[in-house]
């Protein structure tokens, strides 16, 4: 099976890196648990495999698949999204370099830079990436080494024009990193819009079943890929074979899942927007959402994350504790619907900082269940507020 002629996203998701086993014909490539590889004479490596940290065929299969679906030359997979971010940041930054970060990026990204890398001399500035004027002013003031954006962002689904951000950031000499976890490559391909590096928490939509933690980098630049690959090997935050295999299996259905997540997300957002007990709905598929037009241009669907503001914090907490089909839990992107109260859960670590989330906001990760059941659950929970 050659994937050279395959162009369609879903074909690549199913087949890239997934050649059948040449020995047995097993259609699904086996999971390679071996930590070490027999050598045909000293240094005689078959296919370059030597030791499990430096390379593993199951990880290679996942990396090939990741590069294909993001449309990048290189992909590296890691033990978690933050492990991937850590490697990228250390591959790019020197002491004294600065990162310009979106003001609503994943809290753990902020924490990694502010609390782990800052003591090593990395500087951090925060800006609203959806505000082109603010970004221009920040770039004018001082050129950062990295511009880091999440779009749609978490949990307010702010939208940034990736092509425009890449243009102004490149003029300033900065590297543009897009955390594409929320959209997934099924809906948005940042490299094709001018970004330099795509970061993923594959724990979310790529894995898609809330049963494996992982992360990835996808990029075109050969030299940077080599540096990051060296850190993957030298620092060792690799994905294990079973984790890599589970992620690969999830990715095969990413296209169809994102389609259903988007349909359900839109239906939930429409329902909430019309509900008298809901103060505000955040969803890029709503015409009322700031950035809706940019999202419609750079995404091929609006995804499954919907946030809503209730009247106040007490109402938000009551609502959050009243659903039954939406499980109250952190994380997102699985086939099952989840509900998160950011202020006290996912975003507790950024409370009181410039990344704090309004305390009346609740975030929904809308799953692929039957839409009538999802709406009925929300409907009964909204009666309690
Ligand atoms: C979860 C998440 C991360 C961190 O990934 P882990 O796999 O939990 O380490 C980074 N970015 C976004 C947008 C996320 O949702």
């Amino acid at each position: 099976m050659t994937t050279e002629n395959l162009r369609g996203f879903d074909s690549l998701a199913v087949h890239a890196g997934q050649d059948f086993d040449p020995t047995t014909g097993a259609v699904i490539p086996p999971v390679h648990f071996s930590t070490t590889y027999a050598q045909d004479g000293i240094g005689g490596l078959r296919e370059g495999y030597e030791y499990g940290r430096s390379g593993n065929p199951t990880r290679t299969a996942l990396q090939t698949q990741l590069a294909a679906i993001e449309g990048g030359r290189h992909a590296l997979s890691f033990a978690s999204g933050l492990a991937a971010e850590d490697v990228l940041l250390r591959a790019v930054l020197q002491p004294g370099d600065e990162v310009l970060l979106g003001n609503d990026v994943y809290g753990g990204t902020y924490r990694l830079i502010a609390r782990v890398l800052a003591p090593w001399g990395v500087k951090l500035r925060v800006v609203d990436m959806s505000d082109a004027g603010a970004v221009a002013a920040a770039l004018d003031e001082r050129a950062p080494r990295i511009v880091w954006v999440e779009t749609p962002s978490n949990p307010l689904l702010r939208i940034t024009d990736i092509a425009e951000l890449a243009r102004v950031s490149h003029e300033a000499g900065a590297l543009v990193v897009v955390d594409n976890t929320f959209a997934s490559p099924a809906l948005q391909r940042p490299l094709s819009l001018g970004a330099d590096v795509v970061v993923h928490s594959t724990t979310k939509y790529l894995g898609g079943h809330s049963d494996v933690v992982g992360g990835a980098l996808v990029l075109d630049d050969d030299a940077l890929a080599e540096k990051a690959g060296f850190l993957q090997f030298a620092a060792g935050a690799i994905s294990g074979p079973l984790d890599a295999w589970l992620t690969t299996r999830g990715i095969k259905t990413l296209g169809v899942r994102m389609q259903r997540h988007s349909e359900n997300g839109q239906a939930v957002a429409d329902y909430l927007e019309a509900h008298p007990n809901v103060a505000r709905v955040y969803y890029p598929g709503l015409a009322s959402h700031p950035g809706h037009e940019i999202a419609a241009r750079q995404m091929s669907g609006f995804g499954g994350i919907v946030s809503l503001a209730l009247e106040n914090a007490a109402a938000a907490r009551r609502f959050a504790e009243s659903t039954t089909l939406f499980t109250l839990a952190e994380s997102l992107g699985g086939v099952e619907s989840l509900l998160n109260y950011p202020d006290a859960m996912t975003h507790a670590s950024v409370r009181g900082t410039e990344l704090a989330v309004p305390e009346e906001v609740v975030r929904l990760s809308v799953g692929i269940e039957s839409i009538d059941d999802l709406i009925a659950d929300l409907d009964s929970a909204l009666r309690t507020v």
Side-chain angles (χ1 to χ4, degrees):
M1 167 86 234
T2 169
T3 52
E4 263 163 46
N5 301 322
L6 298 181
R7 292 287 174 271
F9 178 85
D10 293 304
S11 313
L12 290 168
V14 173
H15 292 291
Q18 309 306 309
D19 294 347
F20 64 77
D21 180 49
T23 313
T24 62
V27 168
I28 301 304
V31 187
H32 292 267
F33 287 107
S34 188
T35 57
T36 186
Y37 300 84
Q39 306 196 1
D40 299 316
I42 296 169
L45 306 181
R46 299 187 178 190
E47 311 282 329
Y49 294 107
E50 182 176 29
Y51 177 63
R53 176 163 34 72
S54 54
N56 169 289
T58 309
R59 194 162 87 229
T60 303
L62 169 60
Q63 293 179 159
T64 303
Q65 187 189 30
L66 285 164
I69 60 173
E70 275 291 0
R73 286 164 54 78
H74 308 279
L76 296 162
S77 80
F78 295 89
S80 71
L82 283 173
E85 296 184 14
D86 174 50
V87 158
L88 174 65
L89 290 163
R90 284 190 289 141
V92 173
L93 298 170
Q94 300 284 325
D97 284 347
E98 188 172 61
V99 181
L100 186 64
L101 201 61
N103 67 347
D104 49 2
V105 298
Y106 182 70
T109 302
Y110 177 82
R111 181 178 56 207
L112 173 64
I113 300 172
R115 295 185 48 193
V116 179
L117 296 178
W120 292 83
V122 167
K123 297 193 190 116
L124 175 65
R125 245 182 324 153
V126 170
V127 69
D128 177 355
M129 288 289 173
S130 66
D131 178 346
V135 172
L139 291 172
D140 271 355
E141 189 187 332
R142 205 163 52 246
R145 182 73 190 88
I146 291 179
V147 173
W148 187 295
V149 67
E150 255 173 58
T151 178
S153 73
N154 177 16
L156 299 181
L157 291 307
R158 286 203 188 97
I159 301 295
T160 299
D161 184 333
I162 296 173
E164 180 56 18
L165 182 72
R167 193 184 64 75
V168 296
S169 303
H170 288 157
E171 264 173 24
L175 187 87
V176 177
V177 178
V178 176
D179 182 332
N180 203 27
T181 299
F182 266 42
S184 92
L187 303 182
Q188 171 174 280
R189 235 90 24 102
L191 297 178
S192 73
L193 298 167
D196 299 298
V197 184
V198 167
V199 170
H200 275 288
S201 169
T202 60
T203 314
K204 316 295 167 51
Y205 284 110
L206 272 61
H209 297 72
S210 306
D211 55 10
V212 56
V213 173
L217 301 175
V218 187
L219 67 166
D220 282 330
D221 186 89
D222 297 338
L224 181 55
E226 183 160 346
K227 263 181 136 174
F230 173 73
L231 273 174
Q232 184 196 41
F233 157 71
I238 52 168
S239 35
L242 188 56
D243 290 0
W245 184 81
L246 276 170
T247 306
T248 281
R249 187 168 74 162
I251 288 172
K252 291 178 184 177
T253 57
L254 181 64
V256 289
R257 284 188 286 109
M258 291 316 292
Q259 214 169 343
R260 174 64 84 90
H261 281 298
S262 297
E263 280 168 27
N264 282 356
Q266 186 74 48
V268 162
D270 289 342
Y271 160 79
L272 292 173
E273 197 173 42
H275 199 290
N277 295 359
V278 175
R280 182 165 174 195
V281 183
Y282 305 84
Y283 184 69
L286 293 174
S288 60
H289 190 75
H292 169 69
E293 269 150 43
I294 298 166
R297 205 165 60 229
Q298 74 186 9
M299 302 174 75
S300 57
F302 301 108
I305 307 298
V306 181
S307 292
L308 62 151
L310 283 298
E311 205 58 48
N312 51 43
R317 282 175 169 269
R318 251 191 335 270
F319 172 71
E321 292 178 344
S322 302
T323 57
T324 55
L325 182 53
F326 281 84
T327 302
L328 181 62
E330 299 202 359
S331 200
L332 57 102
V335 292
E336 67 293 314
S337 292
L338 300 178
L339 183 153
N340 162 51
Y341 180 58
D343 178 61
M345 294 170 62
T346 50
H347 290 64
S349 72
V350 292
R351 224 184 212 169
T353 74
E354 49 209 326
L355 275 77
V357 175
E359 51 181 19
E360 63 278 6
V361 166
V362 172
R363 185 189 75 193
L364 305 175
S365 174
V366 181
I368 65 168
E369 300 96 331
S370 308
I371 187 62
D372 291 350
D373 289 330
L374 293 170
I375 302 256
D377 189 35
L378 296 172
D379 204 63
S380 70
L382 280 170
R383 268 182 229 141
T384 67
V385 306

